[in-house]
Amino acid sequence: MSGLIVKDLELIRVNIKIYLAVFAIGVVYLIAKKDSAAFFTSYMIVMSVGLSAGTVSYDSYEKGMNFLMTLPVTRKQYVYEKYLLSMLITLITGAVSFLAGIMKVQLSGNGMVEDILVGTAVALFVAGLLLALVIPLRIKYEAEKSRIIMLGVIAAIFLVGIAGKKIIEISHGTIYNIAEILDSLSAGNIMLSGVVIFAVVVLISVGCSCRIINNKEF
Amino acid sequence: MLVQLDHVKKIYDDFALELNMQIPENCVTGLIGANGAGKSTAFKLMLGLIRPDYGTVNVLDRKASDMTVMEKEKIGTVFSDSGFSEYLTVQQVIHIMKNFYTDFNENLFQKQCEKLEIPLKKQIKEFSTGMKAKLKVILAISHDSKLLILDEPTAGLDVIAREEILNLLRDYMDTPGRSIVISSHISGDLEHFCDDVYMIHNGKIVLHEETDRILDEYGFIKVPEQEFAKLDKEYILRIKKENFGYSCLTDQKNYYLENYPGIVIEKGSVDEVITMMVKGESI
């Protein structure tokens, strides 16, 4: 599997200037704007999802997957490597931007470390769920089609959001009760629930990706 | 057998491929056929990239679709239309290959690159077609593979580049126990290189023969119509009506030379034999 990791890292290295430019926008925003640390960490984490998910698209350009699957690597290893590398990149980006955010708070005296911590944890959670959705789609549909499908998924999430807002307006009492229950949970319980949900979603996603790639003909 | 395709059938909406093939050790096998004949599909079956609908495909004593990392390390593959990302440099590819193959021979690889003037620091996308093709073959032979599966490795190349690639492959075959399966739609490329050839046409093998036998024993009998009527047709594979009478392809040239003194029999190239097998009429 080390061959796959090195290949992906080399491909990231090819485009490093573009990625650095994208991350630099976040750094400029962090330096220039007050109370920007929480947004900065979320921005960096979401951008890192694009970076790691992009490696799947790179593999499929110019029938690249045909050749890749003839190299000494199994289909399952390919799937595991994609999740491992993506999660690692996201985690490292999250950790580095979290530290940068804390530095900003300490130096400027604006904002609270707790806010950045919660912001980073939520962004990592969302990034993980996003990766769990994007990776199987990219493996199944490859670059072009998966981009169209992702647009569809984003539109669907948007519609679900609008529908959720309507539901809150209509059934104010019930939602209020749920919010109360959430409020009564300790931070530890919320975090544990988050980790369990994250683990279940990622496991289902890995299982789906393995099935997709095993049934795939190149 | 390094590769064995047993009663294999792969069916698509508009195309079906039927194969029975064996690739023994120490053998260079050519797959010849027009574009779309089914050569690439045959290779994909051997590499486990697609699964047969019927029959079995075994490579290095294992079902092709179940090959492990260890078996894959023993196979070198070249596709004319895919490979490592062209945004990488050869130096980056070396780094990647070292991590993929335990037996990657960096010295041999670098020597071959130097010999064939492949730059190490340029992105592959800046290479000429010939350089890209040579690089793919050098990569395939530089990790102690036992079997090379080469799909059109000489496609679109000039004569000199083609010969350089064939020379690399001849050197590779100097080590006993190795085999090559190679395809080309230019049969002349393979005529003096392959030990035997499979000719695929419209998804079916229309000819499987040792190359030497094709060159030595196959021939074209040229006869006027009256003589054609008297001709023993037992060893005639295909016939074609010509202005002078008939051109008949035989795989027993000597039989006709001995039994029909004065008969005109022309030696045919692999290309001519194949054309006749496809375009000629059966008796």
Side-chain angles (χ1 to χ4, degrees), chain A residues 2-4 6-7 10-11 13-14 58 62-64 66-67 69-75 77 214-218, chain B residues 10 44 47-51 67 69 72-73 77 79 81-88 92 95-96 99-101 123:
Chain A
S2 65
L4 281 173
V6 171
K7 172 196 68 68
E10 291 291 356
L11 281 173
R13 198 153 71 97
V14 169
Y58 256 116
E62 291 164 358
K63 299 183 185 172
N66 290 16
F67 176 70
M69 286 298 122
T70 68
L71 298 175
V73 61
T74 63
R75 293 178 183 220
Q77 280 177 337
N214 276 334
N215 293 330
K216 199 162 179 167
E217 297 211 317
F218 295 100
Chain B
K10 181 74 187 168
K44 285 182 179 182
L47 290 160
L49 296 175
I50 55 174
R51 293 179 186 87
M67 272 193 286
V69 169
K72 285 185 163 189
E73 280 217 34
T77 310
F79 288 119
D81 58 355
S82 77
F84 281 114
S85 167
E86 296 195 351
Y87 290 97
L88 297 168
Q92 286 178 295
H95 190 200
I96 295 168
N99 280 278
F100 266 121
Y101 293 93
Q123 281 187 317

Side-chain angles (χ1 to χ4, degrees), chain A residues 119-187:
Chain A
T120 308
V122 171
L124 282 174
F125 179 73
V126 173
L129 297 186
L130 210 57
L131 282 170
L133 187 70
V134 170
I135 294 175
L137 278 177
R138 288 257 161 125
I139 291 173
K140 182 157 176 72
Y141 296 106
E142 296 178 354
E144 292 308 317
K145 273 190 197 163
S146 74
R147 215 165 279 150
I148 297 164
I149 287 164
M150 269 313 285
L151 283 175
V153 170
I154 290 165
I157 291 170
F158 184 69
L159 287 175
V160 168
I162 294 172
K165 199 178 164 221
K166 282 276 172 219
I167 291 166
I168 289 170
E169 283 166 11
I170 295 164
S171 58
H172 185 260
T174 324
I175 298 295
Y176 185 71
N177 288 342
I178 295 168
E180 257 190 346
I181 295 166
L182 282 174
D183 260 358
S184 68
L185 289 172
S186 67

